[in-house]
Amino acid sequence: MYGTLLQVPVIGMEFERFAVLLIASLAGGAFGAALGALPSFVFTGFVVFLGEGIAILQREIGSEIGAVEAGDIATGVTGTIGFGAVTGPHIAFAGGVAATAYAGRKYPEMEPDDWDYHFGKNILYAFGTKPDILAVGAIFGVVGMLITRVMGGLGFPTDNIALSVVATAFLARIVFGYPIVGKVGGSSILDMSPFEREEKRVAADGGTETGRLATEPWLPHQYKWSGVTAIGLVGGLLGGFIWLRTGSIFMGYAISAMSLLFLNLGVEKIPVTHHITLLGAVGAVIAMPAIGSELAALLAAGAFGAISGLIGELSQRVFYSHSGTHVDPPAMAIAAFMFVLGLLYLAGLLPNAGYLAL
């Protein structure tokens, strides 16, 4: 009774525990700004990989580790750390994205000479120990945590971590004076041909903005519809296969996130696939009880991966390419796709909602 009275409304957490999470989220958001958004997300991959590996091991050997209940260790690593205050994308990555948006306005002189986009999109950049930038990351880390917890408490039927990543990115645009969509450089909002022609953005005085491209696709090596579909199919199949053999929905996601270390180190043409492998696993999870065939589940995984990849590409063409900050296409794809699946499950049209706790 006493503990219930001291719970935070909607979030459903005791005040002291919430205060600890709040302070940790401040640190996690600042940590994401210090490391940079993309490097912090690479750490998400490594931590989730560790947590899922422990979970798989526990399922195989049973709960024989003292008095620890099955799943407790994995939950501590995957949930509390990987998707929590330390490297959770809604906290660390979101803090890094907001810090980059802030620096794009406040410190344009920091922009590397070889960066062709607006500096506010450079999520590879680590800001180290600059206090005001760390403070921005900290604030947005807390905001990201609150959005995730509140939407989860309300039972909103999607991946609320992904939803929070998107919401904080748009909030950063508003707070730091960037347009929500931005000026379209081509014949339509979906037209990427100005990038292919290397056209420069037209400045207010009629000249060109130095070094700034008119259209800035999220990934110069991953924006053509055919290529996105192909890598979506491949990644979805692998995500589904990993779930079929290990029972882990998030192992494929973790491998995809870890692979971005090479992208951050400058290896060209590394694809971004965590939204693809994750939804591939979800496709297999949904199809398996409905159809009862591993082959059918694997094919569904491929289809889900391709669809997720295409949603991400559509998202980047609308919300990333024309403004000056990073709004994450994979997070938009995950949030949108899982929202549709959540609604279909609640309507009784699907046997489950993947990993959503509905």
Side-chain angles (χ1 to χ4, degrees), residues 32 36 65 73 99 136 156 175 198 207 266 281 300 303 308 322 336-337 342 346 348:
I65 311 174
I73 296 177
V136 169
F156 193 72
V175 170
E198 298 184 355
S308 186
H322 313 291
F337 203 165
L346 292 175

Side-chain angles (χ1 to χ4, degrees), residues 238-321:
L238 292 176
F241 178 79
I242 290 170
W243 175 76
L244 285 169
R245 291 293 173 264
T246 68
S248 171
I249 293 178
F250 296 107
M251 181 64 82
Y253 173 98
I255 293 171
S256 293
M258 290 189 297
S259 74
L260 298 182
L261 172 64
F262 299 100
L263 183 65
N264 206 108
L265 293 174
V267 180
E268 294 184 5
K269 300 183 180 179
I270 296 291
V272 178
T273 59
H274 54 283
H275 57 309
I276 292 169
T277 49
L278 177 60
L279 268 297
V282 169
V285 168
I286 291 173
M288 191 63 188
I291 304 173
S293 163
E294 284 198 351
L295 177 59
L298 194 61
L299 294 176
F304 272 52
I307 293 169
S308 186
L310 291 170
I311 295 172
E313 178 55 30
L314 178 64
S315 300
Q316 81 85 11
R317 291 185 182 223
V318 175
F319 294 114
Y320 179 96
S321 295

Side-chain angles (χ1 to χ4, degrees), residues 11 28 38 74 76 84 99 105 135 149 183 209-210 227 265 269 280 293 298 309 311 323 356:
I11 293 175
L38 184 58
R105 288 293 193 214
R149 291 282 176 169
K183 183 179 179 181
E209 293 186 25
T210 304
L265 293 174
K269 300 183 180 179
S293 163
L298 194 61
I311 295 172
S323 192
L356 300 183

Side-chain angles (χ1 to χ4, degrees), residues 54-100:
I54 294 171
I56 293 166
L57 180 62
Q58 283 184 284
R59 286 194 293 270
E60 289 296 319
I61 66 174
S63 180
E64 300 293 337
I65 311 174
V68 177
E69 294 294 328
D72 282 357
I73 296 177
T75 300
V77 176
T78 297
T80 306
I81 302 175
F83 292 132
V86 182
T87 62
H90 57 308
I91 295 172
F93 181 80
V97 167
T100 305

Side-chain angles (χ1 to χ4, degrees), residues 133-180:
I133 297 180
L134 298 189
V136 169
I139 292 168
F140 274 83
V142 168
V143 172
M145 179 274 289
L146 290 173
I147 292 172
T148 301
R149 291 282 176 169
V150 169
M151 297 307 285
L154 294 173
F156 193 72
T158 191
D159 182 320
N160 289 307
I161 287 179
L163 180 66
S164 178
V165 169
V166 176
T168 52
F170 280 121
L171 179 62
R173 282 189 176 174
I174 295 169
V175 170
F176 300 122
Y178 294 89
I180 294 296

